[in-house]
Amino acid sequence: MNFAKELNPQQLVAVTHGDGPLLVLAGAGSGKTRVITFRIAWLIHEKKVDPARILGVTFTNKAADEMRQRIQKQIGPAARDVTLGTFHSLGLRILRQHSPALGYRRDFTIYNEGDQLALVRTLIREHPQKREKFDAGILLARISHYKNTLADGPREYPLFNDKYDLVFGDVFESYQRQLRACQAVDFDDLILLPIRLFREHPPILHACQEQYRYILVDEYQDTNHGQYQFISRLAARHKNLCVVGDDDQSIYGWRGAEVRNILSFTQDYPEAVVVKLEQNYRSTQVILDAAYHVIKNNSKRQDKRLWTRRGRGRNIDAFLAKDENDEAKTIAWRIQTIRERTQAPWSSFAVLYRSNVQSRALESTFRVCRIPYQVVGGYEFFERKEIKDLAAYLRVIQNPHDDLSLLRIVNYPRRGIGDHTIVYLSGQAQNQGISVFEALRQARRDSSLSKAAREGIHALVEMIGELHQYCQSAPLVQTVRLVLDRSGYREELQRTIEDPITLQNKISIVEELASAAAAYAEQNPAGRLRDFIDSISLADEPARNGHPKQQPSDAVMLVTLHSAKGLEFPYVFLCGMEEDLLPHSRSMKDAMNVDEERRLCYVGMTRAQRHLTLSLTQERNKFGKRVKRVPSRFLREIPPELICKQFSHSPYFFDRQKLPKAGDETGGETLA
């Protein structure tokens, strides 16, 4: 095998590295998977390492399978003896062999998320503080976080300064005792318990170190503390540890990833060889240069300057739209124009955005323009639970006799109308040949029902009646706002969701319905609530008919920036380049979080192969009201010579003079 012929000079240095630690800083599109697979092949083919002594660790089974297929093509059947898998599959392999040392049978059970939630719910019900309402999902997330930070030994329980502090310690200890009693482990234990094995049983650690003399880790920048400890202990004896990653693409801090693991590698291993893969095989030089000028402003990073032989390419397009609807229309027009000129398939295009709610305007516009699209890593706007719930409210307000919609919202938010009452009322309606709403009206005087149920029914009937009357003459946007206020839906989210990030995401989705109504009213000035409901129904038609929505085989991809990592497209549109969106408002008070937002922007920009378009708006609808927008600080960081002077479709041209300066906390002048 001629490795020199197959690899560029930097890749060859990494692949043919001998013994000792190796850090491969693989820039976007630089062929990191190629380096890992070729290095494994080189170790076996040239260095004569026993394949059974090689371990490759990835984050997904798909990545592990792809690696194995590539290695098999290079060296044949010997690839079967290489251990390739995820962190959790490696932990499971070790535990199945050595779990008796920790008091577990080898046939222990692995609890999935459903099992874990059921257990936590039981523990909440048994806790002295059970009168408080605790979300099992939040407690489970905190248990997971605690376990992943506990990898190096016991410590005090974390304080979140909320009501969950009252129960966390008790629930955690009971949770662990119950797992042990059931001879069960959860997914976090697949990392935590091997570390405990290594710490308490040195001979087992020694045996595992001898088993895996050469270790290669993919996407090292995404490792959390537990995974770091796991690999560090496993590699401590021979130090033949090769980690591949890119600190500039570390975007999962919110789920525990620690970018310092890759940044401190040379401190952990002073003798480490560092190889930078800077030749990019994906993008044009303009795209790479623009992305570099953004990412270089992060304070803590390993400097890399990507280059390519794909040519300079054309400058980046950047345009300022009036609002999110003009932004979506301009993107749609641009996609159609490029398709007419190049005959490129729809799948050549991707629209990237920071927040899920940004997809609403895009989806609406694409449907009108008959552009096939697919939402990647999420639900279409009108298929989200929150929107389905609120759409049911609107249908009931328009038509109180819509039984299906009424039954969906009769006790959400909770108003004391339990399941038994709902079954009883449905039966009354069926027996009398009346609507459920009429049954509710009658039930206000039904003494067989509890006082709480009658009060809840009365409040619901009165609200529906008042709003039904109001919507007959009131403007659409005011009607939708009033329904959102009177329904108590946002307040219910605030009562039941403790995690601030989850809560903010849910509320943003709820408020976006008012924005959708405002957009509809602008396009249909005479439209009323019924017309708006009809537009929602048409968007949701396949789901309401019980048929799954068919994903088109050739479609424009609508992708959040977090879901875009690892993907690439010839034409990329990165929209919403505005303060409070990118960088997101949640990151503004913490420099480390702003750094991660900048990495997120970098990831989005480097998804583009041939051409990149950036967009921002003068204003956006927020809860049905126009809010002035400020351009993202990341735009200022792109040199003007890399951006087209004008964009021919939208009358709202990109004006660099009004962009905030790099590092501005307030963003700069608001566009008028």
Side-chain angles (χ1 to χ4, degrees), residues 66-131:
E66 182 185 347
M67 282 187 188
R68 189 174 301 281
Q69 291 172 11
R70 291 195 188 188
I71 298 168
Q72 282 179 336
K73 288 182 180 179
Q74 294 166 2
I75 63 172
R80 291 195 293 265
D81 295 327
V82 178
T83 300
L84 293 172
T86 64
F87 283 95
H88 293 95
S89 68
L90 172 63
L92 177 60
R93 175 188 285 253
I94 293 172
L95 285 177
R96 289 293 188 208
Q97 189 175 357
H98 301 289
S99 58
L102 295 176
Y104 289 88
R105 298 194 303 264
R106 287 192 172 90
D107 62 348
F108 59 81
T109 300
I110 303 173
Y111 275 14
N112 60 29
E113 187 175 0
D115 301 323
Q116 294 171 262
L117 282 170
L119 175 55
V120 173
R121 289 190 185 104
T122 299
L123 297 175
I124 291 172
R125 287 195 298 269
E126 295 174 351
H127 196 274
Q129 298 283 346
K130 63 184 178 181
R131 292 182 179 177

Side-chain angles (χ1 to χ4, degrees), residues 267-451:
Q267 298 173 24
D268 295 337
Y269 304 94
E271 70 275 32
V273 172
V274 180
V275 179
K276 295 182 182 180
L277 303 185
E278 297 176 299
Q279 183 176 355
N280 176 279
Y281 295 90
R282 174 186 299 155
S283 307
T284 65
Q285 194 62 53
V286 162
I287 294 169
L288 297 177
D289 289 347
Y292 173 75
H293 282 284
V294 172
I295 198 64
K296 75 175 184 178
N297 291 283
N298 273 0
S299 55
K300 295 181 179 179
R301 61 180 293 272
Q302 295 270 8
D303 192 54
K304 298 172 288 296
R305 187 71 185 263
L306 302 185
W307 61 275
T308 183
R309 291 197 172 102
R310 291 174 58 88
R312 184 182 185 279
R314 59 172 292 179
N315 277 9
I316 293 169
D317 281 324
F319 70 92
L320 173 64
K322 180 180 179 181
D323 55 26
E324 67 271 30
N325 298 306
D326 181 60
E327 181 182 47
K329 290 175 183 176
T330 304
I331 291 172
W333 171 85
R334 185 63 173 157
I335 290 173
Q336 291 171 322
T337 301
I338 295 173
R339 261 183 55 87
E340 290 172 3
R341 189 178 73 244
T342 65
Q343 302 302 307
W346 294 112
S347 57
S348 298
F349 302 88
V351 187
L352 312 183
Y353 40 83
R354 176 62 177 86
S355 178
N356 275 305
V357 298
Q358 292 174 258
S359 75
R360 194 270 309 162
L362 293 162
E363 292 176 47
S364 298
T365 298
F366 283 15
R367 280 195 296 270
V368 170
C369 297
R370 299 184 180 276
I371 296 176
Y373 67 89
Q374 181 177 345
V375 179
V376 179
Y379 295 99
E380 295 188 13
F381 180 75
F382 289 108
E383 290 182 353
R384 295 186 173 99
K385 177 186 181 301
E386 295 78 18
I387 299 303
K388 285 181 175 289
D389 288 343
L390 291 168
Y393 266 101
L394 296 179
R395 291 189 177 99
V396 170
I397 299 307
Q398 174 64 34
N399 174 20
H401 305 290
D402 181 347
D403 287 356
L404 186 63
S405 296
L406 181 55
L407 287 171
R408 181 179 183 109
I409 56 92
V410 66
N411 198 42
Y412 195 86
R414 286 168 288 183
R415 47 178 64 90
I417 309 173
D419 292 342
H420 293 296
T421 301
I422 294 172
V423 171
Y424 170 75
L425 293 171
S426 298
Q428 290 289 94
Q430 188 173 3
N431 293 336
Q432 299 179 43
I434 59 176
S435 69
V436 174
F437 182 70
E438 287 296 330
L440 284 168
R441 294 177 64 173
Q442 296 177 13
R444 292 180 294 179
R445 299 178 295 276
D446 192 335
S447 59
S448 67
L449 299 177
S450 68
K451 181 181 178 182

Side-chain angles (χ1 to χ4, degrees), residues 88-257:
H88 293 95
S89 68
L90 172 63
L92 177 60
R93 175 188 285 253
I94 293 172
L95 285 177
R96 289 293 188 208
Q97 189 175 357
H98 301 289
S99 58
L102 295 176
Y104 289 88
R105 298 194 303 264
R106 287 192 172 90
D107 62 348
F108 59 81
T109 300
I110 303 173
Y111 275 14
N112 60 29
E113 187 175 0
D115 301 323
Q116 294 171 262
L117 282 170
L119 175 55
V120 173
R121 289 190 185 104
T122 299
L123 297 175
I124 291 172
R125 287 195 298 269
E126 295 174 351
H127 196 274
Q129 298 283 346
K130 63 184 178 181
R131 292 182 179 177
E132 285 274 3
K133 294 177 180 176
F134 295 100
D135 188 307
I138 293 174
L139 271 171
L140 185 59
R142 293 186 178 183
I143 289 171
S144 177
H145 175 75
Y146 181 57
K147 283 190 174 186
N148 283 311
T149 59
L150 193 65
D152 53 354
R155 52 204 282 185
E156 294 182 357
Y157 295 125
L159 294 177
F160 298 92
N161 297 315
D162 59 25
K163 67 181 184 180
Y164 288 85
D165 291 343
L166 300 172
V167 299
F168 180 80
D170 294 337
V171 170
F172 177 79
E173 291 175 7
S174 298
Y175 175 86
Q176 290 296 96
R177 283 197 300 270
Q178 192 65 36
L179 285 179
R180 187 63 176 263
C182 296
Q183 285 288 301
V185 302
D186 62 19
F187 272 85
D188 296 312
D189 288 330
L190 297 180
I191 305 298
L192 184 64
L193 291 178
I195 295 172
R196 184 181 154 197
L197 260 176
F198 296 161
R199 186 171 60 243
E200 297 178 2
H201 301 277
I204 293 176
L205 172 60
H206 179 79
C208 291
Q209 291 171 336
E210 290 303 306
Q211 174 68 45
Y212 305 117
R213 293 194 173 199
Y214 292 84
I215 302 172
L216 302 93
V217 183
D218 191 18
E219 303 285 9
Y220 192 67
Q221 78 281 347
D222 293 334
T223 53
N224 61 31
H225 183 67
Q227 292 160 342
Y228 166 81
Q229 287 286 335
F230 188 14
I231 291 298
S232 297
R233 293 169 187 265
L234 202 55
R237 183 174 182 85
H238 298 287
K239 293 185 170 58
N240 294 322
L241 175 62
C242 168
V243 301
V244 183
D246 183 8
D247 53 297
D248 290 337
Q249 298 186 73
S250 178
I251 59 175
Y252 299 123
W254 52 276
R255 71 182 188 193

Side-chain angles (χ1 to χ4, degrees), residues 427-497:
Q428 290 289 94
Q430 188 173 3
N431 293 336
Q432 299 179 43
I434 59 176
S435 69
V436 174
F437 182 70
E438 287 296 330
L440 284 168
R441 294 177 64 173
Q442 296 177 13
R444 292 180 294 179
R445 299 178 295 276
D446 192 335
S447 59
S448 67
L449 299 177
S450 68
K451 181 181 178 182
R454 293 198 304 273
E455 289 176 350
I457 290 169
H458 179 77
L460 178 61
V461 169
E462 289 296 304
M463 180 188 70
I464 293 173
E466 291 172 12
L467 291 177
H468 176 71
Q469 201 64 35
Y470 180 83
C471 78
Q472 303 307 307
S473 57
L476 170 61
V477 178
Q478 282 85 333
T479 298
V480 173
R481 283 183 191 165
L482 189 60
V483 169
L484 294 182
D485 289 338
R486 291 288 302 279
S487 68
Y489 198 93
R490 279 174 301 187
E491 289 74 12
E492 182 72 4
L493 293 176
Q494 292 167 344
R495 282 195 298 271
T496 57
I497 300 175

Side-chain angles (χ1 to χ4, degrees), residues 17 122 171 184 205 244 320 328 332 444 486 499 515 545 551 565 571 653 657 662:
H17 171 74
T122 299
V171 170
L205 172 60
V244 183
L320 173 64
R444 292 180 294 179
R486 291 288 302 279
D499 179 63
S515 300
N545 289 333
Q551 295 290 358
K565 189 163 177 279
Y571 305 95
F653 295 136
Q657 300 305 313

